[in-house]
Amino acid sequence: MTTGALTHESVLVIGASRGLGEAIVEEYTTRGAHVMGTARGAAPTLLHDFARRSDGQVEIEHVDIDDPTQLAALAERLAGRVFDLLFVVAGISLAPMNEIAADIADKDFGRMMQTNVLSVMRTVERLQHLVHPTGTIAVMSSGQGSVTNNTSGGFEVYRATKSALNQMMRSHAARHADERRALLLMAPGWVRTDLGGPKAALEVSEAIPPLIDTVEAQRGIPGLRYLDRHGDAVPW
Ligand SMILES: NC(=O)c1ccc[n+]([C@@H]2O[C@H](COP(=O)([O-])OP(=O)(O)OC[C@H]3O[C@@H](n4cnc5c(N)ncnc54)[C@H](OP(=O)(O)O)[C@@H]3O)[C@@H](O)[C@H]2O)c1
């Protein structure tokens, strides 16, 4: 693991019950940050297990980002708190690789767009005031959100959600062009999680440390960037 000076000492991770979000909580905690992670319900999760072992360095909050009432309540509970980094990681994939528009159920298409695009952006809009004026707002996108790089197809709806998310972050960035925060769309690579599946190329332990190195290097550079875990720009 890389250990440099920590530029984000207080971190809020939305969607941290398992997978990449939980790993980001662990990585930042290990590097010495104070971290708050969110889970949807009160049921025990990997985040709860880790928080129990973390000697008070990890706080747990609860939010289902698909529920605007819960998002507003979270914003109210956190009023007055300041985080160096807000990282919105929550996301879903409901359609198998080969499912195309002709086949996908309307409700699955709607749920994916709802969670991966609308709810993620609502989270950014609702919680951005908690981020330090020179802090960072990161959102977990995907390399599959790149329109330019889509020469193979596959996961067509999931790709479309991440492209739409990227587009909405560009609009957000345009509205906040005079602010000093770093805005990041991150592409972690294909990682073995419940969402990534067992055939993914990378272990979580291979993807998250370089991804956090990249996020750490971006603090203080205003404006929006779409980056892979190594810090290289992903073509839009
Ligand atoms: N794994 C990959 O290869 C890969 C590659 C590129 C991008 N990504 C992106 O990385 C992010 C995390 O993916 P992952 O691989 O870690 O997936 P995962 O293991 O399935 O975890 C998804 C996380 O998102 C949370 N979540 C889903 N819907 C939510 C909602 N409505 N409100 C709050 N939390 C919600 C889940 O909470 P629950 O436990 O409550 O369901 C869980 O913590 C996603 O945005 C995904 O698109 C993943």
Side-chain angles (χ1 to χ4, degrees):
M1 178 190 315
T2 309
T3 47
L6 200 58
T7 62
H8 302 97
E9 294 181 350
S10 55
V11 175
L12 172 56
V13 184
I14 303 293
S17 61
R18 58 195 164 95
L20 302 183
E22 196 277 335
I24 289 167
V25 169
E26 286 202 24
E27 183 69 20
Y28 263 113
T29 304
T30 306
R31 294 185 188 206
H34 184 88
V35 187
M36 179 183 286
T38 71
R40 276 200 260 201
T45 67
L46 291 175
L47 175 66
H48 292 81
D49 292 346
F50 181 70
R52 210 171 299 116
R53 304 194 304 270
S54 77
D55 249 353
Q57 233 182 302
V58 175
E59 289 178 83
I60 298 181
E61 258 292 356
H62 296 98
V63 70
D64 182 332
I65 63 170
D66 291 335
D67 181 345
T69 311
Q70 287 192 31
L71 261 181
L74 177 66
E76 204 167 302
R77 289 196 298 279
L78 297 181
R81 297 282 297 261
V82 179
F83 296 92
D84 296 320
L85 169 66
L86 166 64
F87 204 148
V88 186
V89 182
I92 58 172
S93 177
L94 301 175
M97 180 177 165
N98 293 324
E99 194 160 52
I100 61 171
D103 303 325
I104 190 168
D106 290 9
K107 70 171 180 7
D108 288 344
F109 183 88
R111 274 187 61 204
M112 287 173 75
M113 282 291 179
Q114 165 86 41
T115 300
N116 292 0
V117 188
L118 181 59
S119 301
V120 167
M121 287 311 301
R122 271 192 183 140
T123 305
V124 169
E125 303 293 355
R126 292 276 183 215
L127 301 185
Q128 58 174 322
H129 64 284
L130 301 173
V131 180
H132 190 278
T134 64
T136 302
I137 298 175
V139 172
M140 197 64 93
S141 179
S142 166
Q144 298 211 350
S146 168
V147 173
T148 305
N149 282 349
N150 183 10
T151 51
S152 63
F155 296 107
E156 295 188 13
V157 174
Y158 178 76
R159 279 181 191 278
T161 67
K162 294 297 186 178
S163 301
L165 172 65
N166 291 356
Q167 180 72 290
M168 289 197 82
M169 268 305 276
R170 284 189 76 140
S171 297
H172 174 94
R175 270 188 284 115
H176 294 273
D178 55 343
E179 295 182 4
R180 288 177 293 156
R181 291 187 185 117
L183 303 173
L184 305 176
L185 286 158
M186 296 305 303
W190 187 23
V191 193
R192 265 164 255 154
T193 61
D194 293 338
L195 187 150
K199 291 187 183 152
L202 300 167
E203 292 288 353
V204 170
S205 59
E206 295 173 285
I208 292 304
L211 181 131
I212 297 305
D213 288 343
T214 293
V215 172
E216 283 298 283
Q218 294 297 316
R219 184 162 189 180
I221 310 172
L224 177 64
R225 289 165 296 286
Y226 179 24
L227 301 175
D228 71 14
R229 67 184 179 283
H230 300 300
D232 293 326
V234 182
W236 296 97

